[in-house]
Amino acid sequence: MPTTSTLRMIAAICVLSLAAACGAGGSPGGGGGYPEQNITIVVPFSAGGPTDTVTRMIAEPMAAKLGAKIVVQNVEGAGGTVGADEVANANPDGYTVLMHHIGMSTAPALYANLGFKPLESFEMIGLVTEVPMTIVARKDFEPKTLQELVTYVKANAAKVTLANAGVGAASHLCGLLFQTAAGVKLQEVPYKGTGPALTDLVGGQVDFMCDQTTNTSGQITAGEVKAYAVTTPERVKSLPDLPTTAEAGLPELKVSVWHGLYAPKGTPQDVVQKLTEALKTALADQKVIDQMAKLGTEPVKAEDVTPQAHRAKLEEQLGIWGKVIADAGVKAS
């Protein structure tokens, strides 16, 4: 029969083993000791693009809050679905997360064989920002106002070129809404990203496009493009003279590119909570606020930096864009 001292030793070993399994104050299988290694945020688009820019803004303050290094990894392809699929199938341990934009809500309507389900394959961490879109044209394009643009494209639909960053891109979706609101079908010119599309717009190779303020503010301010309107209910602080689409006579054209942070389904809730708190800290950082302001956007309100608000937004947007894309008869190859 074991002695009292032996029983005490066994009990002590059990307590230590349980503590190790739980982490510092956590529960078995949870993330009490999280993070214990580098965290990767996958951006499913090219480096230097709007989503990549927003991600790199928040990475440093999030890392400081979590006490671990954050690595931003660009995994581009198929309108963001390649990177999203990679994260959906990653270990649900909180070390691989995803920054995605409005494309998460359009992918099911665009892609017939999507490898993930937006509402079922991820744990939502929180919303990040909503970036306004702008309607911009080559600087020598004839129309001077948004109403003149609508009149002009209706009369010249066969020759006007509307640039975008490819099927499913934010610029493509905004372009679809413009054509619906204006009651016209235009010749679309797809590019492999907003960067080359905007370069050709500045160079006069295409007529106009719709793109995020994070990508167009510099060119608008420098006078390299002609700007007609911003697609949000309120004017953008960094572009105070640019009217909203409602003010400019096209109230039906309302769209912003929202971003959210995701973890693979099954990630422990205490890990998700730590990521959410780190995101809240980053979005309250004055440096981040100032950086976003220069690009014509701002962090979402604190109450939207939650898994619940994020899920509600995604559900709403899936319904909206599913109908828009179906009505337009658009499919990604």
Side-chain angles (χ1 to χ4, degrees):
M1 182 174 179
T3 65
T4 301
S5 60
T6 300
L7 290 172
R8 285 174 178 169
M9 184 179 295
I10 292 171
I13 290 171
C14 289
V15 170
L16 289 171
S17 299
L18 180 59
C22 295
S27 58
Y34 174 87
E36 297 176 330
Q37 64 189 58
N38 292 349
I39 299 166
T40 298
I41 298 181
V42 172
V43 174
F45 305 102
S46 60
T51 303
D52 180 71
T53 299
V54 169
T55 305
R56 293 179 191 276
M57 282 180 186
I58 66 168
E60 184 178 340
M62 279 190 69
K65 173 68 174 178
L66 291 164
K69 182 179 179 181
I70 290 181
V71 178
V72 178
Q73 180 183 3
N74 299 92
V75 183
E76 55 189 288
T81 61
V82 174
D85 187 61
E86 181 175 300
V87 176
N89 290 287
N91 289 331
D93 53 12
Y95 292 107
T96 304
V97 297
L98 172 73
M99 175 73 86
H100 209 331
H101 66 19
I102 192 174
M104 183 65 88
S105 59
T106 63
L110 288 169
Y111 294 88
N113 299 304
L114 201 61
F116 60 89
K117 296 181 179 180
L119 289 171
E120 299 175 23
S121 301
F122 301 96
E123 304 287 350
M124 286 60 180
I125 294 169
L127 296 170
V128 179
T129 185
E130 291 206 34
V131 182
M133 305 287 284
T134 51
I135 310 295
V136 293
R138 54 183 171 84
K139 62 183 180 181
D140 59 347
F141 201 36
E142 291 88 336
K144 295 180 174 62
T145 66
L146 186 61
Q147 278 295 304
E148 287 184 13
L149 175 64
V150 171
T151 300
Y152 183 88
V153 298
K154 283 184 174 180
N156 299 277
K159 68 176 185 178
V160 172
T161 51
L162 172 62
N164 63 53
V167 174
S171 54
H172 174 238
L173 299 171
C174 184
L176 288 179
L177 284 182
F178 172 85
Q179 292 175 81
T180 298
V184 66
K185 178 63 177 174
L186 300 174
Q187 179 183 347
E188 298 182 62
V189 183
Y191 287 80
K192 293 182 178 180
T194 53
L198 191 59
T199 296
D200 273 10
L201 185 73
V202 172
Q205 278 75 50
V206 287
D207 293 323
F208 80 111
M209 68 182 293
C210 182
D211 198 13
Q212 301 175 57
T213 56
T214 46
N215 205 42
T216 62
S217 290
Q219 285 80 5
I220 292 172
T221 303
E224 295 177 347
V225 295
K226 180 178 289 185
Y228 294 109
V230 61
T231 63
T232 45
E234 297 179 356
R235 293 194 180 199
V236 174
K237 293 178 182 177
S238 61
L239 300 167
D241 296 329
L242 190 62
T244 67
T245 47
E247 292 172 332
L250 203 64
E252 303 92 339
L253 180 54
K254 294 184 292 186
V255 60
S256 60
V257 182
W258 58 274
H259 293 77
L261 207 57
Y262 303 78
K265 187 69 175 179
T267 301
Q269 287 305 301
D270 51 346
V271 171
V272 172
Q273 184 60 33
K274 285 188 175 184
L275 288 165
T276 297
E277 291 303 319
L279 179 58
K280 285 183 178 178
T281 297
L283 295 179
D285 186 282
Q286 191 58 50
K287 182 179 178 182
V288 172
I289 294 170
D290 293 343
Q291 287 176 324
M292 286 190 177
K294 290 179 182 177
L295 296 175
T297 187
E298 59 187 9
V300 297
K301 296 177 181 178
E303 56 264 32
D304 290 330
V305 193
T306 66
Q308 296 77 18
H310 188 173
R311 178 171 288 276
K313 180 73 171 182
L314 180 56
E315 289 175 342
E316 173 206 39
Q317 292 284 292
L318 282 165
I320 291 172
W321 289 106
K323 184 178 187 306
V324 169
I325 292 169
D327 289 348
V330 178
K331 284 289 182 182
S333 56

